[in-house]
Amino acid sequence: MKLIYLILLFITFSINAQQIETIDWDEVRINGILELTISKRDFETIYKKADSIVTPDYTEICGADEDSNFQYYYYKGLQYELDNGIMNFRKITFSKKYSFFILYKDKKIDLTTKIDDLNTLFPEAIKNAENNNGIIYITLKSADVIDDSEWHFTFKNGYLQSIECFFPC
């Protein structure tokens, strides 16, 4: 009987040691106020009009079909997917021209963010960062177990360039 308890204890430690770092969609805010899922009307109340709206070629997008009816909505480094009046975040590209930032767990993430700055939020992901000719990629899973999205952080010259919510096929 003691052996069974000991085995269960080791299994518990093993599971905790393999805990995967994730991002919770509902805890992320752009500039501290803009939610990642928002109505088009509410978005335009905050940021007015899009710089451009693009209807993609649905045949080139995995998971899309001929009945698809979404568009990409671009605004100064932000990319949202617009579908039936609801906008869902897809990507933010940081630049000196626009002062966008992400607020996650009270930590400001922007173009001045270095990899070490994210260490308190995602220490395991930082350890597993992929370096490809000076461009560093960090991938995190979504906290929603039903959602198969990934968060891609791209660093260049030591600083954060973009964050993308990516849906693999």
Side-chain angles (χ1 to χ4, degrees):
M1 190 64 142
K2 288 182 183 181
L3 183 59
I4 292 173
Y5 289 123
L6 190 58
I7 290 171
L8 288 174
L9 181 66
F10 283 126
I11 290 172
T12 303
F13 285 142
S14 176
I15 290 171
N16 287 335
Q18 295 176 9
Q19 186 176 16
I20 297 172
E21 294 170 337
T22 61
I23 293 183
D24 186 342
W25 182 274
D26 294 331
E27 291 185 33
V28 178
R29 297 287 181 271
I30 296 172
N31 287 1
I33 55 169
L34 185 64
E35 296 179 16
L36 299 186
T37 297
I38 189 168
S39 72
K40 180 179 181 233
R41 181 180 28 167
D42 290 345
F43 184 94
E44 289 178 341
T45 298
I46 298 170
Y47 289 118
K48 306 299 176 230
K49 193 173 176 182
D51 295 334
S52 65
I53 299 173
V54 176
T55 301
D57 181 351
Y58 302 121
T59 61
E60 295 181 4
I61 300 172
C62 68
D65 58 25
E66 59 200 35
D67 295 330
S68 294
N69 191 27
F70 63 88
Q71 297 173 306
Y72 293 122
Y73 195 95
Y74 295 92
Y75 180 80
K76 301 181 183 196
L78 291 177
Q79 178 187 357
Y80 272 75
E81 185 178 290
L82 175 63
D83 191 7
N84 293 323
I86 300 297
M87 298 176 62
N88 286 298
F89 173 83
R90 289 298 168 254
K91 184 174 184 179
I92 184 169
T93 303
F94 298 104
S95 73
K96 291 179 182 177
K97 189 174 180 180
Y98 307 114
S99 58
F100 286 116
F101 63 91
I102 296 282
L103 191 62
Y104 185 66
K105 295 189 176 181
D106 296 325
K107 181 141 181 90
K108 185 177 177 181
I109 302 169
D110 63 8
L111 76 151
T112 64
T113 301
K114 298 179 182 179
I115 291 177
D116 291 341
D117 297 333
L118 291 181
N119 199 39
T120 56
L121 290 173
F122 316 113
E124 293 304 313
I126 303 303
K127 289 178 191 173
N128 297 318
E130 177 186 328
N131 189 336
N132 187 0
N133 295 327
I135 298 176
I136 298 173
Y137 301 97
I138 297 171
T139 300
L140 296 164
K141 294 284 187 187
S142 171
D144 185 350
V145 293
I146 297 172
D147 182 3
D148 64 346
S149 67
E150 298 176 340
W151 292 83
H152 294 179
F153 289 69
T154 304
F155 288 82
K156 185 175 181 183
N157 298 324
Y159 293 94
L160 184 61
Q161 298 295 300
S162 66
I163 300 173
E164 178 180 12
C165 183
F166 177 76
F167 290 86
C169 289

